[in-house]
């Protein structure tokens, strides 16, 4: 699970960097604000996505461990 978390997080950071670059090139926001805000935003979103995936996997495992007669 740890490698999944780090993988999703790094992809989120990369997407944040790309979106920040697009905003900086477009001139809608200053460079440092665009980069920092988008990296934090997409980094946070990626951790939320990991949480939802981990919760779904955990529930799936718990359902498999429960016996029908219990």
């Amino acid at each position: 699970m740890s490698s999944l978390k780090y993988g999703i997080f790094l992809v989120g950071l990369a997407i944040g960097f790309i979106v920040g670059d697009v905003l900086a090139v477009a001139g809608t926001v200053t460079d440092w604000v665009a980069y920092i805000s988008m990296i934090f935003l997409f980094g946070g979103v990626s951790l939320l996505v990991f949480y939802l995936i981990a919760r779904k996997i955990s529930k799936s495992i718990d359902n498999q461990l429960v016996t029908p007669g219990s």
Side-chain angles (χ1 to χ4, degrees):
M1 281 290 234
S2 179
S3 60
L4 176 65
K5 176 172 62 173
Y6 291 127
I8 291 174
F9 182 65
L10 291 174
V11 168
L13 291 181
I15 292 171
F17 187 77
I18 292 169
V19 172
D21 189 48
V22 168
L23 289 175
V25 169
T28 57
V29 184
T30 59
D31 290 351
W32 67 274
V33 172
Y35 285 114
I36 297 297
S37 63
M38 291 300 107
I39 287 172
F40 281 134
L41 176 69
F42 282 96
V45 168
S46 67
L47 290 175
L48 289 172
V49 167
F50 168 75
Y51 171 75
L52 295 174
I53 291 171
R55 188 175 68 172
K56 184 176 180 181
I57 290 172
S58 177
K59 283 183 181 180
S60 173
I61 290 172
D62 288 344
N63 288 339
Q64 291 176 358
L65 295 177
V66 174
T67 57
S70 298

